[in-house]
DNA sequence: TTGCTCCTCACGTCACGTGAGGTGGC
DNA sequence: TTGCTCCTCACGTCACGTGAGGTGGC
């Protein structure tokens, strides 16, 4: 028989842990003195303690350890638990590798710039959107803005005329390509009941699991710079655009003050 | 201005998280309605939220994020924090790799044996020991037991004669080698004040960071099998003995019942 | 006798998730 | 008006670590 302290040393665990395992009925001492409460462990219990520690070291929760130790799982179930744990660990390692990469990148930029370079670019997801749109062609990147601006009044008029409420933020989408004119869509999100009519077409944008997003603050005259910055950032991060249309979401446009406008630029990415 | 829901969507976080960051003074809404408690966020706050999320994604605690965001750390300190995080992540990944290896080993043994092979072998550390000993030579492995047994009565007598109290468990140590006689030490731990005398020598065993340990239950006549099992296990695990003397710690030896004896076998390992 | 070990509460950890119960704005 | 969003508590999470305050055994 061992005291709790001896047994703890033998198993390489703390006394507190043994008390915890007792309280959880995971490893109950062979006897407990009814008067003093002193716990006594038998030599034969070392085996269970070792198994407990080994399973915990694999990353199982105490509840899982209990079911395994108490033989409540068959060989197949145990295989399943191990495979699940395998998958979880693999994912965990991959996550931490990503984190490590980002830490290293920060360290490299900090060496060069000696302060925290902070950009307002994040990677997020973009939802599927059902849109009522009017589209046009822009000859060049610089031409996109004027084209969009010319499309919205007509679109708004057509939607209002059709009695369709406009509640969500307007969304514009462009199909960027290296050469040739750019297809420009000026649009508003609409419900499933709305269909194409004279004055606007209804189409859907697919959901995108990963987009690089930059929040552009202020008037739209400098939005080209923001798109450029976003493209440069994607390149620096070693990511690639997926080729799906980019989106401009006009989150807030107080009509009296363009300097307070808020626009999200979203550039779909290929899976990493 | 955004409501908390809009701002949460924009930043890809939950409403609850924004309330939490408010409570922690990490990201306080630009204004809070004194009557309704409704929070309003400004577009310009998106930057801070993005930085917050990015730093949290690197694995920093919210408290660390706060000091970094509030510019309470200089470039050097920040470099230090990033390097620390780098080290932590590297260690974490190494740990998880080890876990993954062990999970895979379990899966392979379970394929073959279709049930949980549980051995009572663990890896633990062994402390430095100051020992009073008598030693002898054993011609072969089989001869070790008799030699040890012959040494202990004389050693006990010499220690008692010198007035030295015996409180801790007896420890035997052998220097295993492939050929030739085996040096056998029968010993008891003693305090720093005890020195070599007629009848026993005092020497110290170095601490060992990693030993493979097997708890042998019962009489010592089958202890050879336990040593064999321990050696086989070390081989299977792909570990190597360090060559330091192996230890037998006689944890419990009730004189009336050898079947309840408890002995720890410890085999020093090379660092992994 | 003096340490040393043992005991039982009970709080703290970390970053929120998840109700409960209620109010405000379109 | 009916949902939808917002609000404030407050408990739960997971496996213990860390006192506080007290008792038992050599």
């Amino acid at each position: 028989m061992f005291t709790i302290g001896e047994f703890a040393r033998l198993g390489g665990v703390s006394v507190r842990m043994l008390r915890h395992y007792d309280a959880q009925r995971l490893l109950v001492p062979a006897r407990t003195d009814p008067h003093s409460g002193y716990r006594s462990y038998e030599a034969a219990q070392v085996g269970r303690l070792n198994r407990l520690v080994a399973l915990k070291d694999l990353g199982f929760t105490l509840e899982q350890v209990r079911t395994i130790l108490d033989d409540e799982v068959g060989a197949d179930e145990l295989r399943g638990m191990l495979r699940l744990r395998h998958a979880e660990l693999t994912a965990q390692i991959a996550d931490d590798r990503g984190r490590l990469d980002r830490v290293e990148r920060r360290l490299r930029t900090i060496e060069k710039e000696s302060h925290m370079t902070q950009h307002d670019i994040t990677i997020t997801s973009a939802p599927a959107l059902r849109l009522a749109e009017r589209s046009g062609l822009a000859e060049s990147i610089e031409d996109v803005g004027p084209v969009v601006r010319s499309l919205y009044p007509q679109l708004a008029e057509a939607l209002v005329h059709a009695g369709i409420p406009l509640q969500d933020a307007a969304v514009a989408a462009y199909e960027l390509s290296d050469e040739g004119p750019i297809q420009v869509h000026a649009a508003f999100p609409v419900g499933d009941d709305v269909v194409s009519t004279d004055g606007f077409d209804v189409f859907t944008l697919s959901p995108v699991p990963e987009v690089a997003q930059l929040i552009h603050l202020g008037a739209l005259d400098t939005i080209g710079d923001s798109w450029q910055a976003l493209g440069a950032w994607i390149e620096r991060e070693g990511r690639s655009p997926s080729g799906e249309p980019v989106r401009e979401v006009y989150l807030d446009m107080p009509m009296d003050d363009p300097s307070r406008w808020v626009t999200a630029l979203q550039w779909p990415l290929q899976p990493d």
Side-chain angles (χ1 to χ4, degrees), chain A residues 96-123:
Chain A
D96 281 340
R97 284 214 163 288
R99 248 180 283 276
L100 196 57
D101 284 352
R102 292 199 298 277
V103 168
E104 283 173 355
R105 255 202 303 269
R106 294 268 184 172
L107 272 168
R108 277 199 301 273
T109 45
I110 220 177
E111 302 279 302
K112 282 188 306 207
E113 318 198 8
S114 100
H115 75 287
M116 201 74 181
T117 316
Q118 294 287 16
H119 31 64
D120 282 346
I121 297 170
T122 52
I123 292 182

PDB file of all heavy atoms in Angstrom, chain A residues 96-123:
ATOM      1  N   ASP A  96      -1.010  25.267 -36.457  1.00  0.00           N
ATOM      2  CA  ASP A  96       0.138  25.870 -35.781  1.00  0.00           C
ATOM      3  C   ASP A  96       1.247  26.203 -36.774  1.00  0.00           C
ATOM      4  O   ASP A  96       1.970  27.183 -36.601  1.00  0.00           O
ATOM      5  CB  ASP A  96       0.657  24.937 -34.685  1.00  0.00           C
ATOM      6  CG  ASP A  96      -0.206  25.025 -33.428  1.00  0.00           C
ATOM      7  OD1 ASP A  96      -0.921  26.027 -33.282  1.00  0.00           O
ATOM      8  OD2 ASP A  96      -0.176  24.082 -32.613  1.00  0.00           O
ATOM      9  N   ARG A  97       1.376  25.389 -37.804  1.00  0.00           N
ATOM     10  CA  ARG A  97       2.344  25.708 -38.862  1.00  0.00           C
ATOM     11  C   ARG A  97       1.986  27.039 -39.510  1.00  0.00           C
ATOM     12  O   ARG A  97       2.837  27.874 -39.770  1.00  0.00           O
ATOM     13  CB  ARG A  97       2.321  24.639 -39.962  1.00  0.00           C
ATOM     14  CG  ARG A  97       3.006  23.382 -39.613  1.00  0.00           C
ATOM     15  CD  ARG A  97       3.678  22.770 -40.856  1.00  0.00           C
ATOM     16  NE  ARG A  97       4.641  21.787 -40.407  1.00  0.00           N
ATOM     17  CZ  ARG A  97       5.781  22.094 -39.833  1.00  0.00           C
ATOM     18  NH1 ARG A  97       6.130  23.369 -39.675  1.00  0.00           N
ATOM     19  NH2 ARG A  97       6.579  21.153 -39.419  1.00  0.00           N
ATOM     20  N   GLY A  98       0.694  27.230 -39.804  1.00  0.00           N
ATOM     21  CA  GLY A  98       0.236  28.482 -40.384  1.00  0.00           C
ATOM     22  C   GLY A  98       0.559  29.649 -39.468  1.00  0.00           C
ATOM     23  O   GLY A  98       1.070  30.682 -39.902  1.00  0.00           O
ATOM     24  N   ARG A  99       0.247  29.485 -38.193  1.00  0.00           N
ATOM     25  CA  ARG A  99       0.539  30.512 -37.204  1.00  0.00           C
ATOM     26  C   ARG A  99       2.030  30.832 -37.202  1.00  0.00           C
ATOM     27  O   ARG A  99       2.437  31.981 -37.173  1.00  0.00           O
ATOM     28  CB  ARG A  99       0.137  29.994 -35.821  1.00  0.00           C
ATOM     29  CG  ARG A  99      -1.036  30.720 -35.202  1.00  0.00           C
ATOM     30  CD  ARG A  99      -1.349  30.141 -33.830  1.00  0.00           C
ATOM     31  NE  ARG A  99      -2.058  28.870 -33.939  1.00  0.00           N
ATOM     32  CZ  ARG A  99      -3.353  28.773 -34.102  1.00  0.00           C
ATOM     33  NH1 ARG A  99      -4.097  29.855 -34.175  1.00  0.00           N
ATOM     34  NH2 ARG A  99      -3.931  27.597 -34.195  1.00  0.00           N
ATOM     35  N   LEU A 100       2.826  29.755 -37.216  1.00  0.00           N
ATOM     36  CA  LEU A 100       4.283  29.915 -37.187  1.00  0.00           C
ATOM     37  C   LEU A 100       4.750  30.707 -38.407  1.00  0.00           C
ATOM     38  O   LEU A 100       5.587  31.608 -38.300  1.00  0.00           O
ATOM     39  CB  LEU A 100       4.932  28.536 -37.165  1.00  0.00           C
ATOM     40  CG  LEU A 100       6.400  28.442 -36.772  1.00  0.00           C
ATOM     41  CD1 LEU A 100       6.624  29.042 -35.393  1.00  0.00           C
ATOM     42  CD2 LEU A 100       6.868  26.991 -36.791  1.00  0.00           C
ATOM     43  N   ASP A 101       4.197  30.383 -39.561  1.00  0.00           N
ATOM     44  CA  ASP A 101       4.539  31.127 -40.776  1.00  0.00           C
ATOM     45  C   ASP A 101       4.217  32.600 -40.614  1.00  0.00           C
ATOM     46  O   ASP A 101       5.015  33.469 -40.982  1.00  0.00           O
ATOM     47  CB  ASP A 101       3.757  30.574 -41.974  1.00  0.00           C
ATOM     48  CG  ASP A 101       4.331  29.254 -42.474  1.00  0.00           C
ATOM     49  OD1 ASP A 101       5.412  28.870 -41.978  1.00  0.00           O
ATOM     50  OD2 ASP A 101       3.715  28.630 -43.334  1.00  0.00           O
ATOM     51  N   ARG A 102       3.049  32.880 -40.065  1.00  0.00           N
ATOM     52  CA  ARG A 102       2.655  34.285 -39.921  1.00  0.00           C
ATOM     53  C   ARG A 102       3.559  35.000 -38.924  1.00  0.00           C
ATOM     54  O   ARG A 102       3.921  36.157 -39.127  1.00  0.00           O
ATOM     55  CB  ARG A 102       1.183  34.365 -39.495  1.00  0.00           C
ATOM     56  CG  ARG A 102       0.231  33.890 -40.587  1.00  0.00           C
ATOM     57  CD  ARG A 102      -1.193  34.382 -40.366  1.00  0.00           C
ATOM     58  NE  ARG A 102      -1.785  33.879 -39.133  1.00  0.00           N
ATOM     59  CZ  ARG A 102      -2.356  32.694 -38.979  1.00  0.00           C
ATOM     60  NH1 ARG A 102      -2.417  31.852 -39.999  1.00  0.00           N
ATOM     61  NH2 ARG A 102      -2.886  32.339 -37.832  1.00  0.00           N
ATOM     62  N   VAL A 103       3.921  34.295 -37.854  1.00  0.00           N
ATOM     63  CA  VAL A 103       4.847  34.903 -36.881  1.00  0.00           C
ATOM     64  C   VAL A 103       6.178  35.212 -37.559  1.00  0.00           C
ATOM     65  O   VAL A 103       6.754  36.293 -37.380  1.00  0.00           O
ATOM     66  CB  VAL A 103       5.060  33.968 -35.672  1.00  0.00           C
ATOM     67  CG1 VAL A 103       6.228  34.451 -34.818  1.00  0.00           C
ATOM     68  CG2 VAL A 103       3.807  33.896 -34.815  1.00  0.00           C
ATOM     69  N   GLU A 104       6.651  34.271 -38.365  1.00  0.00           N
ATOM     70  CA  GLU A 104       7.928  34.491 -39.051  1.00  0.00           C
ATOM     71  C   GLU A 104       7.838  35.661 -40.019  1.00  0.00           C
ATOM     72  O   GLU A 104       8.776  36.455 -40.143  1.00  0.00           O
ATOM     73  CB  GLU A 104       8.351  33.216 -39.785  1.00  0.00           C
ATOM     74  CG  GLU A 104       8.930  32.172 -38.845  1.00  0.00           C
ATOM     75  CD  GLU A 104       9.190  30.833 -39.535  1.00  0.00           C
ATOM     76  OE1 GLU A 104       8.836  30.693 -40.729  1.00  0.00           O
ATOM     77  OE2 GLU A 104       9.725  29.936 -38.859  1.00  0.00           O
ATOM     78  N   ARG A 105       6.711  35.768 -40.692  1.00  0.00           N
ATOM     79  CA  ARG A 105       6.553  36.885 -41.631  1.00  0.00           C
ATOM     80  C   ARG A 105       6.577  38.213 -40.879  1.00  0.00           C
ATOM     81  O   ARG A 105       7.207  39.175 -41.314  1.00  0.00           O
ATOM     82  CB  ARG A 105       5.232  36.745 -42.388  1.00  0.00           C
ATOM     83  CG  ARG A 105       5.446  36.281 -43.826  1.00  0.00           C
ATOM     84  CD  ARG A 105       4.282  36.648 -44.713  1.00  0.00           C
ATOM     85  NE  ARG A 105       3.032  36.105 -44.214  1.00  0.00           N
ATOM     86  CZ  ARG A 105       2.536  34.920 -44.563  1.00  0.00           C
ATOM     87  NH1 ARG A 105       3.175  34.142 -45.405  1.00  0.00           N
ATOM     88  NH2 ARG A 105       1.383  34.508 -44.071  1.00  0.00           N
ATOM     89  N   ARG A 106       5.884  38.246 -39.751  1.00  0.00           N
ATOM     90  CA  ARG A 106       5.900  39.462 -38.926  1.00  0.00           C
ATOM     91  C   ARG A 106       7.319  39.801 -38.509  1.00  0.00           C
ATOM     92  O   ARG A 106       7.724  40.957 -38.525  1.00  0.00           O
ATOM     93  CB  ARG A 106       5.083  39.267 -37.656  1.00  0.00           C
ATOM     94  CG  ARG A 106       3.635  39.088 -37.890  1.00  0.00           C
ATOM     95  CD  ARG A 106       2.923  40.430 -37.835  1.00  0.00           C
ATOM     96  NE  ARG A 106       1.502  40.192 -37.984  1.00  0.00           N
ATOM     97  CZ  ARG A 106       0.573  41.100 -37.833  1.00  0.00           C
ATOM     98  NH1 ARG A 106       0.911  42.342 -37.552  1.00  0.00           N
ATOM     99  NH2 ARG A 106      -0.688  40.794 -37.988  1.00  0.00           N
ATOM    100  N   LEU A 107       8.061  38.789 -38.099  1.00  0.00           N
ATOM    101  CA  LEU A 107       9.431  39.036 -37.655  1.00  0.00           C
ATOM    102  C   LEU A 107      10.255  39.612 -38.788  1.00  0.00           C
ATOM    103  O   LEU A 107      11.056  40.524 -38.584  1.00  0.00           O
ATOM    104  CB  LEU A 107      10.065  37.738 -37.135  1.00  0.00           C
ATOM    105  CG  LEU A 107       9.832  37.452 -35.650  1.00  0.00           C
ATOM    106  CD1 LEU A 107      10.224  36.033 -35.291  1.00  0.00           C
ATOM    107  CD2 LEU A 107      10.604  38.445 -34.791  1.00  0.00           C
ATOM    108  N   ARG A 108      10.064  39.087 -39.996  1.00  0.00           N
ATOM    109  CA  ARG A 108      10.842  39.599 -41.126  1.00  0.00           C
ATOM    110  C   ARG A 108      10.459  41.039 -41.443  1.00  0.00           C
ATOM    111  O   ARG A 108      11.325  41.885 -41.663  1.00  0.00           O
ATOM    112  CB  ARG A 108      10.657  38.706 -42.357  1.00  0.00           C
ATOM    113  CG  ARG A 108      11.575  37.480 -42.327  1.00  0.00           C
ATOM    114  CD  ARG A 108      11.723  36.888 -43.714  1.00  0.00           C
ATOM    115  NE  ARG A 108      10.444  36.487 -44.264  1.00  0.00           N
ATOM    116  CZ  ARG A 108       9.868  35.307 -44.063  1.00  0.00           C
ATOM    117  NH1 ARG A 108      10.470  34.411 -43.316  1.00  0.00           N
ATOM    118  NH2 ARG A 108       8.702  35.017 -44.601  1.00  0.00           N
ATOM    119  N   THR A 109       9.160  41.362 -41.467  1.00  0.00           N
ATOM    120  CA  THR A 109       8.778  42.743 -41.781  1.00  0.00           C
ATOM    121  C   THR A 109       9.234  43.681 -40.689  1.00  0.00           C
ATOM    122  O   THR A 109       9.643  44.798 -40.953  1.00  0.00           O
ATOM    123  CB  THR A 109       7.255  42.880 -41.983  1.00  0.00           C
ATOM    124  OG1 THR A 109       6.595  42.163 -40.945  1.00  0.00           O
ATOM    125  CG2 THR A 109       6.823  42.341 -43.324  1.00  0.00           C
ATOM    126  N   ILE A 110       9.195  43.222 -39.452  1.00  0.00           N
ATOM    127  CA  ILE A 110       9.610  44.082 -38.333  1.00  0.00           C
ATOM    128  C   ILE A 110      11.105  44.383 -38.417  1.00  0.00           C
ATOM    129  O   ILE A 110      11.554  45.471 -38.039  1.00  0.00           O
ATOM    130  CB  ILE A 110       9.229  43.431 -36.999  1.00  0.00           C
ATOM    131  CG1 ILE A 110       8.708  44.501 -36.039  1.00  0.00           C
ATOM    132  CG2 ILE A 110      10.394  42.734 -36.365  1.00  0.00           C
ATOM    133  CD1 ILE A 110       8.257  43.917 -34.725  1.00  0.00           C
ATOM    134  N   GLU A 111      11.899  43.428 -38.900  1.00  0.00           N
ATOM    135  CA  GLU A 111      13.343  43.660 -39.060  1.00  0.00           C
ATOM    136  C   GLU A 111      13.552  44.842 -40.001  1.00  0.00           C
ATOM    137  O   GLU A 111      14.382  45.706 -39.754  1.00  0.00           O
ATOM    138  CB  GLU A 111      14.033  42.430 -39.673  1.00  0.00           C
ATOM    139  CG  GLU A 111      13.881  41.143 -38.904  1.00  0.00           C
ATOM    140  CD  GLU A 111      14.861  41.038 -37.745  1.00  0.00           C
ATOM    141  OE1 GLU A 111      16.067  41.119 -38.002  1.00  0.00           O
ATOM    142  OE2 GLU A 111      14.412  40.881 -36.601  1.00  0.00           O
ATOM    143  N   LYS A 112      12.773  44.837 -41.089  1.00  0.00           N
ATOM    144  CA  LYS A 112      12.988  45.854 -42.098  1.00  0.00           C
ATOM    145  C   LYS A 112      12.403  47.192 -41.679  1.00  0.00           C
ATOM    146  O   LYS A 112      12.987  48.243 -41.917  1.00  0.00           O
ATOM    147  CB  LYS A 112      12.338  45.434 -43.427  1.00  0.00           C
ATOM    148  CG  LYS A 112      13.170  44.405 -44.181  1.00  0.00           C
ATOM    149  CD  LYS A 112      12.597  44.152 -45.564  1.00  0.00           C
ATOM    150  CE  LYS A 112      11.127  43.773 -45.484  1.00  0.00           C
ATOM    151  NZ  LYS A 112      10.668  42.947 -46.593  1.00  0.00           N
ATOM    152  N   GLU A 113      11.224  47.154 -41.068  1.00  0.00           N
ATOM    153  CA  GLU A 113      10.513  48.403 -40.856  1.00  0.00           C
ATOM    154  C   GLU A 113      10.556  48.868 -39.416  1.00  0.00           C
ATOM    155  O   GLU A 113      10.147  49.975 -39.104  1.00  0.00           O
ATOM    156  CB  GLU A 113       9.067  48.241 -41.309  1.00  0.00           C
ATOM    157  CG  GLU A 113       8.984  47.463 -42.625  1.00  0.00           C
ATOM    158  CD  GLU A 113       7.667  47.660 -43.307  1.00  0.00           C
ATOM    159  OE1 GLU A 113       6.894  48.509 -42.848  1.00  0.00           O
ATOM    160  OE2 GLU A 113       7.413  46.964 -44.298  1.00  0.00           O
ATOM    161  N   SER A 114      11.031  47.995 -38.536  1.00  0.00           N
ATOM    162  CA  SER A 114      11.249  48.335 -37.129  1.00  0.00           C
ATOM    163  C   SER A 114       9.981  48.803 -36.416  1.00  0.00           C
ATOM    164  O   SER A 114      10.050  49.348 -35.335  1.00  0.00           O
ATOM    165  CB  SER A 114      12.354  49.389 -36.970  1.00  0.00           C
ATOM    166  OG  SER A 114      11.807  50.669 -36.792  1.00  0.00           O
ATOM    167  N   HIS A 115       8.843  48.624 -37.004  1.00  0.00           N
ATOM    168  CA  HIS A 115       7.612  48.854 -36.248  1.00  0.00           C
ATOM    169  C   HIS A 115       6.519  47.970 -36.835  1.00  0.00           C
ATOM    170  O   HIS A 115       6.697  47.311 -37.854  1.00  0.00           O
ATOM    171  CB  HIS A 115       7.194  50.318 -36.274  1.00  0.00           C
ATOM    172  CG  HIS A 115       6.596  50.731 -37.588  1.00  0.00           C
ATOM    173  ND1 HIS A 115       7.342  50.893 -38.715  1.00  0.00           N
ATOM    174  CD2 HIS A 115       5.328  50.964 -37.955  1.00  0.00           C
ATOM    175  CE1 HIS A 115       6.550  51.238 -39.728  1.00  0.00           C
ATOM    176  NE2 HIS A 115       5.332  51.282 -39.288  1.00  0.00           N
ATOM    177  N   MET A 116       5.390  47.967 -36.160  1.00  0.00           N
ATOM    178  CA  MET A 116       4.298  47.062 -36.524  1.00  0.00           C
ATOM    179  C   MET A 116       3.606  47.556 -37.781  1.00  0.00           C
ATOM    180  O   MET A 116       2.849  48.529 -37.729  1.00  0.00           O
ATOM    181  CB  MET A 116       3.305  47.020 -35.357  1.00  0.00           C
ATOM    182  CG  MET A 116       2.424  45.816 -35.351  1.00  0.00           C
ATOM    183  SD  MET A 116       3.341  44.336 -34.819  1.00  0.00           S
ATOM    184  CE  MET A 116       2.032  43.121 -34.952  1.00  0.00           C
ATOM    185  N   THR A 117       3.887  46.920 -38.889  1.00  0.00           N
ATOM    186  CA  THR A 117       3.164  47.274 -40.100  1.00  0.00           C
ATOM    187  C   THR A 117       1.768  46.698 -40.000  1.00  0.00           C
ATOM    188  O   THR A 117       1.603  45.487 -39.917  1.00  0.00           O
ATOM    189  CB  THR A 117       3.836  46.695 -41.352  1.00  0.00           C
ATOM    190  OG1 THR A 117       5.223  46.898 -41.237  1.00  0.00           O
ATOM    191  CG2 THR A 117       3.308  47.353 -42.604  1.00  0.00           C
ATOM    192  N   GLN A 118       0.809  47.566 -39.992  1.00  0.00           N
ATOM    193  CA  GLN A 118      -0.562  47.099 -39.834  1.00  0.00           C
ATOM    194  C   GLN A 118      -1.359  47.498 -41.059  1.00  0.00           C
ATOM    195  O   GLN A 118      -1.442  48.664 -41.409  1.00  0.00           O
ATOM    196  CB  GLN A 118      -1.192  47.723 -38.576  1.00  0.00           C
ATOM    197  CG  GLN A 118      -0.532  47.268 -37.290  1.00  0.00           C
ATOM    198  CD  GLN A 118      -0.879  45.826 -36.914  1.00  0.00           C
ATOM    199  OE1 GLN A 118      -1.381  45.060 -37.742  1.00  0.00           O
ATOM    200  NE2 GLN A 118      -0.594  45.465 -35.695  1.00  0.00           N
ATOM    201  N   HIS A 119      -1.917  46.524 -41.692  1.00  0.00           N
ATOM    202  CA  HIS A 119      -2.769  46.817 -42.834  1.00  0.00           C
ATOM    203  C   HIS A 119      -4.170  46.395 -42.446  1.00  0.00           C
ATOM    204  O   HIS A 119      -4.367  45.537 -41.599  1.00  0.00           O
ATOM    205  CB  HIS A 119      -2.297  46.035 -44.051  1.00  0.00           C
ATOM    206  CG  HIS A 119      -1.692  44.747 -43.627  1.00  0.00           C
ATOM    207  ND1 HIS A 119      -2.417  43.771 -43.005  1.00  0.00           N
ATOM    208  CD2 HIS A 119      -0.410  44.299 -43.646  1.00  0.00           C
ATOM    209  CE1 HIS A 119      -1.619  42.773 -42.685  1.00  0.00           C
ATOM    210  NE2 HIS A 119      -0.391  43.058 -43.049  1.00  0.00           N
ATOM    211  N   ASP A 120      -5.117  46.985 -43.083  1.00  0.00           N
ATOM    212  CA  ASP A 120      -6.496  46.663 -42.750  1.00  0.00           C
ATOM    213  C   ASP A 120      -7.026  45.585 -43.668  1.00  0.00           C
ATOM    214  O   ASP A 120      -8.191  45.598 -44.063  1.00  0.00           O
ATOM    215  CB  ASP A 120      -7.361  47.924 -42.844  1.00  0.00           C
ATOM    216  CG  ASP A 120      -7.145  48.776 -41.614  1.00  0.00           C
ATOM    217  OD1 ASP A 120      -6.569  48.254 -40.643  1.00  0.00           O
ATOM    218  OD2 ASP A 120      -7.555  49.937 -41.632  1.00  0.00           O
ATOM    219  N   ILE A 121      -6.147  44.647 -44.009  1.00  0.00           N
ATOM    220  CA  ILE A 121      -6.568  43.583 -44.920  1.00  0.00           C
ATOM    221  C   ILE A 121      -6.710  42.292 -44.136  1.00  0.00           C
ATOM    222  O   ILE A 121      -5.845  41.930 -43.343  1.00  0.00           O
ATOM    223  CB  ILE A 121      -5.546  43.418 -46.056  1.00  0.00           C
ATOM    224  CG1 ILE A 121      -5.496  44.716 -46.878  1.00  0.00           C
ATOM    225  CG2 ILE A 121      -5.904  42.226 -46.925  1.00  0.00           C
ATOM    226  CD1 ILE A 121      -4.366  44.771 -47.868  1.00  0.00           C
ATOM    227  N   THR A 122      -7.825  41.630 -44.340  1.00  0.00           N
ATOM    228  CA  THR A 122      -8.071  40.369 -43.657  1.00  0.00           C
ATOM    229  C   THR A 122      -8.553  39.345 -44.666  1.00  0.00           C
ATOM    230  O   THR A 122      -8.978  39.694 -45.772  1.00  0.00           O
ATOM    231  CB  THR A 122      -9.156  40.511 -42.579  1.00  0.00           C
ATOM    232  OG1 THR A 122     -10.306  41.113 -43.172  1.00  0.00           O
ATOM    233  CG2 THR A 122      -8.674  41.373 -41.440  1.00  0.00           C
ATOM    234  N   ILE A 123      -8.471  38.096 -44.250  1.00  0.00           N
ATOM    235  CA  ILE A 123      -9.061  37.043 -45.070  1.00  0.00           C
ATOM    236  C   ILE A 123     -10.352  36.615 -44.419  1.00  0.00           C
ATOM    237  O   ILE A 123     -10.391  36.346 -43.223  1.00  0.00           O
ATOM    238  CB  ILE A 123      -8.082  35.867 -45.217  1.00  0.00           C
ATOM    239  CG1 ILE A 123      -6.887  36.311 -46.061  1.00  0.00           C
ATOM    240  CG2 ILE A 123      -8.770  34.669 -45.842  1.00  0.00           C
ATOM    241  CD1 ILE A 123      -5.876  35.240 -46.328  1.00  0.00           C
TER     242      ILE A 123
END
